[in-house]
């Protein structure tokens, strides 16, 4: 399909633009080949001609905070978009820190897209609210729609999926991950018409209900280009075998339940052979309820495996070790902490190419699980065997400064270091000291560090270290840490590349918040909950920085005092108009550039629910 | 709809220095901050419920691992996505939404395990009858005091905490939600399980 004809914008349309030796169309064609977002951003800043060529040639856009821009502004700048990625709620909404109906609804975007991007092909959403009506609207408004990916979204049910399956004739990708979905029935899968054959990616691992296995088999049979299939837990081993024989070309497989009581020898060997025939598998996941005796079925499929997601398969260390012997090419591994240190030692022994490890807790809320799970020695053993490790997410109940220092010495290339000592404020369990030196070692040694999550008992020293050494840090997550404002000030002052800062339950107050005045416009967002901020501090911030949206989530009826949950983000779209319920007394024609007196007003949003979202809208004297 | 409609315990998100819950925790995690607070530049007008003791600044002395922290429910901690949390819960009870509640049943000496759907039964007598039929054994009369005293076999189950319990002690619904698997033991083994 051709894109919209671009309107000539220069005053003398028939003459080659003097500033550039190329006609616009050529420039567009050349710049159209630039794929990286950052490069495109740089390109658009060179000059006006390049800005225009870039915007006309851009096909995909990524919006990290859906409220930082409006669909109108987006479509005005980029007229030819085919693929949109949108992220909505603050990340802490994943952990129930953001009330329901906070916002980030896709609906208003879809309405504008239906008008301005009729050729839209891809939509990837993370932490957005998506209703069934929106999904139906999507299915009916975009005839060329190909790829839908929903990660950690909420608000929809399988009815919405049925609408997609029914009406999106060219669908290649349906990826439903970890959402708050209302699974009413598995019938949605049967809605794909008989004539539908274009599917390449199907991921419904998230959904608990049975789907019609006959419909699934037929679908898999006729979609010859299917590369990714991730089924849900209700799919049995036996059913999986029938799917595999119909799709030996699969590259990514998510199995269903991996246990079956009545598997005959015949069935066993059929499944074995089905796995054997999948020569292209590089990703394996699912494996719910793994029965130890069936794990060997996977061995032939493991040779080329680069990503093994066992995070729903609570194996013990021995079973993991037996599996990993067959996975020499593993780059990414996700496990449950039932594998314990023994399992991590096995990882160190068998996976020298490992780059990413995530260890999830089997019993995050059980204190009696002390004595189980992984510890600092597993971490160290792992680091010895896997020098290329650069991404770690590690949930544990005990850690020492020395161990972390050793780990980063063995693996100095960490880009993502997320350590979660599950008991808040817990010190080094051997020395009883704070964990400051651990994270100090991390930031001193790992110069490429982009993302850091800290935990354990931490004083301001940790943040001094971070501010001093973590010069490439972009994302920082802090909980139950720090001693005073100084900590947060160090970070805001010292980390030039910081984009996302999320803080909960720390003793950082208004002084710390305001010390970052200069920083927030170069950041995507700041989240602070259960810290020591007050409404006054937030008002001050809003007043000083009119291009920031300063949102406070509060209990009803209290406009003074503590500001319990604060979300600050830059935006060119002004304060959002869709906050829970209705906006009272929204202030008139003033915009961010300000006019009139330097006063602060705020719109208070009244809600039926026990929360208030208060907007701080600052006005600034003309700068 | 969605995973964000879980009850939010507002008390837990009340602004405070330490964690909601016991004193120990408050002392442990906020004592440092409360002491340094006096020197800090922060001029917050927040009221706190901190218990600054008169101990010296070596605050971590009593933070040994012998002091077990009380189990405290903090909203959103540890940071596990709701979806994963729910999956883990599901796993524990081997339960699929709307797909029955199958649990494994084993018996000492039997060559293989069986599975039954607990949802099919409405009370203990029904369940026990079905088990008796399946395994060709008898349980005899249940009494709170004696358990299944006098019978050849007794039904036991593993609960959410991993403990082996005698079937019949707790109300049926409680049993349903905590039973992970069943095991039929010999009468002699069961003696140790009877309530007393």
């Amino acid at each position: 399909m051709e894109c919209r004809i671009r309107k000539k914008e220069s005053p003398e349309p028939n003459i080659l633009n003097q500033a550039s030796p190329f006609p616009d169309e050529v420039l567009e064609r050349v710049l159209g080949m630039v794929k990286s977002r950052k490069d495109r951003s740089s390109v658009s800043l060179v000059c006006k001609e390049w800005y225009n060529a870039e915007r006309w040639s851009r096909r995909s856009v990524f919006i990290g905070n859906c409220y930082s821009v409006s669909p109108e502004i987006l479509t005005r700048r980029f007229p030819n978009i085919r693929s949109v990625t949108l992220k909505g709620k603050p990340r802490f909404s994943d952990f129930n820190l953001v009330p329901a109906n906070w916002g980030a609804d896709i609906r208003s975007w879809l309405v504008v897209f239906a008008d301005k991007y009729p050729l839209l092909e891809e939509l990837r959403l993370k932490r957005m609210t998506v209703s069934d009506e929106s999904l139906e609207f999507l299915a009916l408004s975009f005839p060329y729609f190909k790829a839908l990916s929903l990660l950690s979204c909420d608000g929809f049910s399988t009815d919405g999926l049925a609408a997609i399956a029914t009406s999106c004739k060219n669908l290649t990708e349906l990826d439903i991950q970890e959402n708050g979905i209302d699974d009413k029935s598995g019938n949605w899968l049967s809605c794909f018409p008989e004539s539908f054959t274009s599917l390449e990616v199907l991921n419904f691992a998230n959904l608990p209900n049975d789907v019609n296995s006959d419909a699934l088999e037929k679908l898999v049979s006729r979609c010859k280009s299917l590369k990714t299939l991730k089924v849900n837990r209700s799919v049995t081993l036996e059913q999986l075998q029938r799917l595999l024989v119909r799709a030996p070309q699969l590259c990514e497989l998510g199995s269903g339940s991996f246990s079956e009581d009545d598997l005959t020898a015949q069935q066993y060997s059929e499944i074995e052979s089905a796995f054997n025939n999948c020569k292209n598998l590089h990703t394996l996941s699912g494996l719910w309820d793994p029965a130890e005796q069936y794990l060997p079925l996977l061995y032939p499929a493991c040779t080329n495996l680069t990503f093994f997601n066992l995070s729903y398969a609570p194996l013990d260390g021995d079973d993991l070790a037996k599996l990993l012997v067959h996975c020499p090419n593993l780059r990414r591994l996700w496990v449950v902490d039932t594998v314990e240190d023994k399992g991590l030692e096995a990882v160190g022994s068998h996976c020298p190419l490992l780059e990413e490890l995530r260890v999830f807790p089997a019993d995050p809320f059980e204190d009696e699980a002390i004595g189980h799970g992984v510890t600092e020695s597993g971490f160290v053993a792992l680091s010895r065997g896997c020098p290329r490790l650069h991404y770690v997410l590690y949930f544990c109940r005990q850690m020492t400064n020395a161990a972390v220092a050793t780990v980063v010495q063995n693996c100095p290339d960490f880009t993502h270091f997320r350590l979660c000592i599950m008991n808040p404020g817990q010190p080094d369990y051997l020395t009883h000291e704070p964990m400051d030196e651990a994270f100090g070692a991390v930031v001193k040694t790992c110069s490429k560090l982009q993302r850091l999550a800290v935990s354990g008992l931490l004083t301001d020293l940790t943040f001094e270290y971070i501010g001093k050494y973590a010069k490439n840090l972009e994302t920082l997550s802090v909980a139950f840490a720090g001693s005073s404002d100084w900590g947060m000030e160090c970070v805001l002052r010292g980390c030039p590349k910081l984009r996302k800062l999320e803080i909960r339950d720390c003793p950082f107050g208004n002084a710390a918040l305001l010390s970052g005045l200069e920083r927030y416009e170069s950041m995507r967002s700041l989240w602070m909950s259960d810290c020591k901020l007050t409404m006054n501090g937030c008002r001050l911030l809003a007043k000083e920085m009119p291009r920031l949206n300063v949102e406070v989530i509060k209990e009803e009826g209290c406009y003074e005092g503590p500001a319990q949950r604060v979300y600050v983000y830059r935006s060119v779209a002004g304060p959002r108009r869709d906050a829970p319920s209705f906006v009272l007394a929204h202030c008139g024609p003033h915009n961010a550039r300000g006019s009139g007196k330097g006063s602060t007003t705020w719109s208070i949003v009244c809600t039926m629910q026990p929360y208030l979202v208060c907007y701080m809208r600052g006005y600034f004297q003309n700068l | 709809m969605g995973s964000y409609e879980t009850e939010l315990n507002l008390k837990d998100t009340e602004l405070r220095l330490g964690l909601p819950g016991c004193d120990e925790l408050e002392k442990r995690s906020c004592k440092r901050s409360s002491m340094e607070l006096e020197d800090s530049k922060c001029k917050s007008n927040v009221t706190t419920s901190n218990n600054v003791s008169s101990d010296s600044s070596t605050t971590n002395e009593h933070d040994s691992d012998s002091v077990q922290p009380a189990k405290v429910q903090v909203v959103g901690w540890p940071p596990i996505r709701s979806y994963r949390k729910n999956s883990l819960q599901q796993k524990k009870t081997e339960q699929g939404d709307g797909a029955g509640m199958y649990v494994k049943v084993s018996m000492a000496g039997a060559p293989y395990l069986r599975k039954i759907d607990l949802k099919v039964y409405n009370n203990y007598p029904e369940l026990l009858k079905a088990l008796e039929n399946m395994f060709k054994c008898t349980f005899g009369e249940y009494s709170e005091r004696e358990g299944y005293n006098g019978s050849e076999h007794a039904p036991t189950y593993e609960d959410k905490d991993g403990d082996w319990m005698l079937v019949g002690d707790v109300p049926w619904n409680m049993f349903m939600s905590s039973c992970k698997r069943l095991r039929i033991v010999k009468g002699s083994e069961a003696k140790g399980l009877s309530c007393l």
Side-chain angles (χ1 to χ4, degrees):
Chain A
M1 261 300 131
E2 293 312 308
C3 46
R4 298 177 162 207
I5 305 300
R6 179 209 162 147
K7 287 180 271 200
K8 283 288 174 206
E9 283 158 8
S10 50
E12 293 163 309
N14 295 322
I15 298 171
L16 277 178
N17 193 312
Q18 297 296 336
S20 160
F22 305 115
D24 294 330
E25 289 81 4
V26 172
L27 193 56
E28 248 179 79
R29 183 63 78 94
V30 170
L31 294 181
M33 296 184 202
V34 176
K35 296 296 173 213
S36 140
R37 277 183 351 235
K38 290 202 173 115
D39 288 345
R40 278 196 161 263
S41 198
S42 310
V43 158
S44 68
L45 294 172
V46 169
C47 63
K48 221 165 127 193
E49 286 72 30
W50 281 46
Y51 175 87
N52 281 322
E54 194 279 313
R55 62 183 269 263
W56 279 95
S57 64
R58 191 189 283 236
R59 295 288 173 269
S60 98
V61 72
F62 168 90
I63 298 166
N65 173 6
C66 64
Y67 287 118
S68 62
V69 70
S70 71
E72 291 80 15
I73 295 174
L74 175 72
T75 52
R76 196 162 55 226
R77 176 167 173 186
F78 297 117
N80 278 320
I81 297 293
R82 306 289 164 84
S83 163
V84 177
T85 303
L86 268 168
K87 293 189 181 180
K89 304 182 210 192
R91 196 178 77 94
F92 278 178
S93 70
D94 282 348
F95 318 126
N96 294 340
L97 288 178
V98 175
N101 302 328
W102 178 85
D105 197 312
I106 190 61
R107 180 63 189 219
S108 57
W109 293 83
L110 289 178
V111 167
V112 174
F113 290 166
D115 183 27
K116 304 288 183 188
Y117 297 153
L119 305 177
L120 189 70
E121 293 175 358
E122 294 183 7
L123 193 61
R124 297 177 196 286
L125 306 179
K126 187 170 184 180
R127 290 190 203 102
M128 301 281 297
T129 294
V130 183
S131 67
D132 285 340
E133 290 72 32
S134 293
L135 289 175
E136 279 160 48
F137 182 79
L138 171 68
L140 297 172
S141 308
F142 303 99
Y144 301 98
F145 195 75
K146 287 195 183 145
L148 178 65
S149 167
L150 300 173
L151 171 56
S152 210
C153 296
D154 70 306
F156 63 106
S157 78
T158 40
D159 288 350
L161 297 184
I164 298 287
T166 307
S167 307
C168 294
K169 311 262 181 279
N170 298 310
L171 201 69
T172 58
E173 179 176 337
L174 184 60
D175 185 6
I176 311 294
Q177 278 190 66
E178 302 197 3
N179 301 290
I181 182 174
D182 180 14
D183 188 342
K184 294 179 176 174
S185 96
N187 289 335
W188 62 274
L189 191 91
S190 312
C191 292
F192 285 109
E194 293 286 324
S195 54
F196 174 78
T197 58
S198 49
L199 209 57
E200 294 169 24
V201 173
L202 178 62
N203 177 1
F204 63 96
N206 196 185
L207 303 173
N209 281 346
D210 292 12
V211 296
N212 184 316
S213 57
D214 198 47
L216 179 58
E217 273 172 50
K218 293 205 173 105
L219 180 67
V220 168
S221 281
R222 62 181 189 268
C223 293
K224 304 287 181 210
S225 306
L226 196 67
K227 289 282 183 297
T228 296
L229 176 65
K230 296 183 184 175
V231 300
N232 68 5
R233 199 173 180 176
S234 73
V235 172
T236 64
L237 257 182
E238 210 198 316
Q239 288 167 344
L240 186 68
Q241 184 265 340
R242 291 204 291 277
L243 296 170
L244 286 178
V245 302
R246 286 162 174 76
Q249 76 281 3
L250 282 178
C251 297
E252 297 186 13
L253 173 68
S255 84
S257 169
F258 218 72
S259 68
E260 200 134 336
D261 287 333
D262 314 325
L263 219 49
T264 66
Q266 163 86 353
Q267 285 169 321
Y268 187 99
S269 93
E270 278 172 2
I271 298 173
E272 197 170 33
S273 133
F275 270 110
N276 226 338
N277 285 333
C278 291
K279 307 278 183 217
N280 298 323
L281 278 181
H282 57 67
T283 295
L284 211 47
S285 62
L287 295 164
W288 280 282
D289 323 303
E292 176 203 337
Q293 66 266 35
Y294 299 137
L295 292 177
L297 288 167
L298 295 170
Y299 295 167
C302 287
T303 329
N304 296 322
L305 219 54
T306 55
F307 178 24
F308 210 162
N309 180 354
L310 291 165
S311 65
Y312 293 103
L315 301 176
D316 67 32
D318 292 324
D319 288 331
L320 180 68
K322 286 186 218 152
L323 262 179
L324 291 180
V325 169
H326 301 266
C327 308
N329 290 310
L330 218 52
R331 302 288 196 276
R332 301 169 65 201
L333 177 64
W334 297 13
V335 293
V336 186
D337 68 357
T338 47
V339 302
E340 297 191 357
D341 289 337
K342 201 169 31 161
L344 296 184
E345 283 161 29
V347 176
S349 304
H350 301 301
C351 305
L353 301 176
L354 198 70
E355 297 172 5
E356 172 181 329
L357 176 76
R358 301 194 195 196
V359 183
F360 294 94
D363 288 309
F365 309 109
E366 302 293 321
D367 257 2
E368 293 103 65
I370 285 175
H372 299 301
V374 294
T375 72
E376 77 282 1
S377 46
F379 203 9
V380 171
L382 169 79
S383 69
R384 277 200 208 104
C386 306
R388 297 194 198 187
L389 205 60
H390 67 78
Y391 191 122
V392 74
L393 169 62
Y394 201 84
F395 282 87
C396 59
R397 289 190 172 83
Q398 64 187 52
M399 190 50 60
T400 65
N401 288 308
V404 174
T406 308
V407 164
V408 294
Q409 227 173 353
N410 294 335
C411 306
D413 295 328
F414 273 112
T415 55
H416 297 68
F417 193 94
R418 304 164 64 189
L419 177 61
C420 182
I421 302 167
M422 286 190 272
N423 191 19
Q426 181 174 298
D428 179 320
Y429 86 100
L430 285 181
T431 66
H432 308 307
E433 282 171 3
M435 295 296 296
D436 296 333
E437 294 308 317
F439 294 103
V442 173
V443 294
K444 282 177 201 164
T445 316
C446 306
S447 54
K448 302 182 207 163
L449 196 70
Q450 290 168 27
R451 181 172 181 182
L452 179 65
V454 299
S455 60
L457 180 66
L458 301 175
T459 70
D460 284 343
L461 186 55
T462 295
F463 303 101
E464 277 182 38
Y465 285 143
I466 293 174
K468 189 167 175 199
Y469 295 103
K471 295 305 176 186
N472 285 315
L473 193 66
E474 296 179 15
T475 304
L476 179 63
S477 309
V478 187
F480 306 106
S483 324
S484 72
D485 287 331
W486 172 247
M488 186 169 161
E489 286 167 18
C490 286
V491 171
L492 288 168
R493 189 173 38 241
C495 299
K497 295 199 183 169
L498 197 63
R499 291 186 305 115
K500 288 177 279 184
L501 181 55
E502 48 186 27
I503 301 173
R504 62 166 292 180
D505 293 274
C506 296
F508 303 141
N510 295 335
L513 177 73
L514 295 169
S515 75
L517 269 188
E518 311 296 312
R519 294 304 324 278
Y520 302 131
E521 273 190 9
S522 62
M523 286 169 57
R524 183 187 294 176
S525 65
L526 165 72
W527 168 278
M528 288 179 74
S529 57
D530 293 292
C531 296
K532 299 177 68 180
L533 301 179
T534 68
M535 296 298 289
N536 268 330
C538 296
R539 278 187 208 113
L540 217 69
L541 176 61
K543 177 184 171 189
E544 296 297 313
M545 305 298 296
R547 277 192 300 233
L548 296 179
N549 283 356
V550 182
E551 299 186 6
V552 180
I553 299 172
K554 268 179 73 70
E555 286 179 43
E556 188 177 346
C558 186
Y559 309 151
E560 296 303 327
Q564 194 175 32
R565 279 175 256 186
V566 178
Y567 185 48
V568 179
Y569 58 92
R570 64 182 175 189
S571 177
V572 296
R576 59 182 176 115
R577 280 169 276 250
D578 65 346
S581 211
F582 54 94
V583 179
L584 280 185
H586 187 77
C587 309
H590 300 293
N591 59 23
R593 306 237 176 271
S595 61
K597 306 191 174 76
S599 66
T600 310
T601 62
W602 65 94
S603 316
I604 298 171
V605 177
C606 213
T607 174
M608 301 308 223
Q609 314 194 341
Y611 300 102
L612 273 175
V613 182
C614 302
Y615 290 99
M616 310 302 176
R617 184 86 171 93
Y619 294 104
F620 218 100
Q621 201 123 21
N622 281 342
L623 252 181
Chain B
M1 171 171 326
S3 47
Y4 307 109
E5 300 225 0
T6 51
E7 314 92 64
L8 272 165
N9 186 344
L10 291 176
K11 255 195 145 345
D12 278 348
T13 54
E14 208 179 306
L15 184 64
R16 49 199 297 161
L17 272 184
L19 301 170
C22 75
D23 281 356
E24 255 172 30
L25 265 166
E26 283 185 31
K27 263 195 248 170
R28 190 154 56 79
S29 60
C30 80
K31 200 148 78 136
R32 294 183 75 82
S33 41
S34 60
M35 284 196 315
E36 269 145 76
L37 191 55
E38 275 130 47
D39 319 331
S40 90
K41 315 164 216 168
C42 174
K43 286 198 200 111
S44 140
N45 55 1
V46 166
T47 55
T48 65
S49 55
N50 79 57
N51 308 307
V52 180
S53 77
S54 53
D55 280 355
S56 70
S57 60
T58 52
T59 55
N60 297 316
E61 217 102 89
H62 54 267
D63 286 339
S64 65
D65 45 351
S66 61
V67 176
Q68 291 298 2
K71 188 166 164 191
V72 157
Q73 275 299 333
V74 183
V75 174
W77 189 266
I80 311 274
R81 274 195 190 143
S82 312
Y83 171 70
R84 191 173 284 281
K85 249 195 301 191
N86 296 337
S87 265
L88 293 172
Q89 291 309 312
Q90 270 191 4
K91 215 183 269 299
K92 289 184 125 184
T93 56
E94 283 194 32
Q95 184 176 8
D97 281 346
M101 198 181 144
Y102 283 92
V103 296
K104 290 185 189 167
V105 191
S106 59
M107 180 158 105
Y112 46 77
L113 278 62
R114 303 298 305 268
K115 258 198 171 163
I116 57 164
D117 180 2
L118 288 181
K119 279 194 177 162
V120 165
Y121 310 104
N122 295 313
N123 50 42
Y124 283 123
E126 286 183 23
L127 171 67
L128 295 178
K129 190 92 189 157
L131 287 174
E132 282 176 331
N133 284 339
M134 199 183 254
F135 287 87
K136 309 284 180 285
C137 60
T138 51
F139 297 131
E141 199 82 44
Y142 166 81
S143 74
E144 199 182 313
R145 196 167 172 280
E146 309 266 328
Y148 294 89
N149 203 15
S151 51
E152 245 182 35
H153 291 94
T156 65
Y157 71 100
E158 185 183 17
D159 74 354
K160 272 197 280 215
D161 299 325
D163 298 318
W164 285 94
M165 320 282 290
L166 191 68
V167 170
D169 286 335
V170 301
W172 174 251
N173 285 330
M174 194 187 291
F175 164 77
M176 279 274 278
S177 64
S178 59
C179 173
K180 272 170 50 176
R181 50 170 33 179
L182 286 157
R183 182 174 167 78
I184 298 174
V185 300
K186 295 227 175 45
S188 48
E189 288 177 62
K191 278 231 160 55
L193 285 169
S194 57
C195 287
L196 240 181

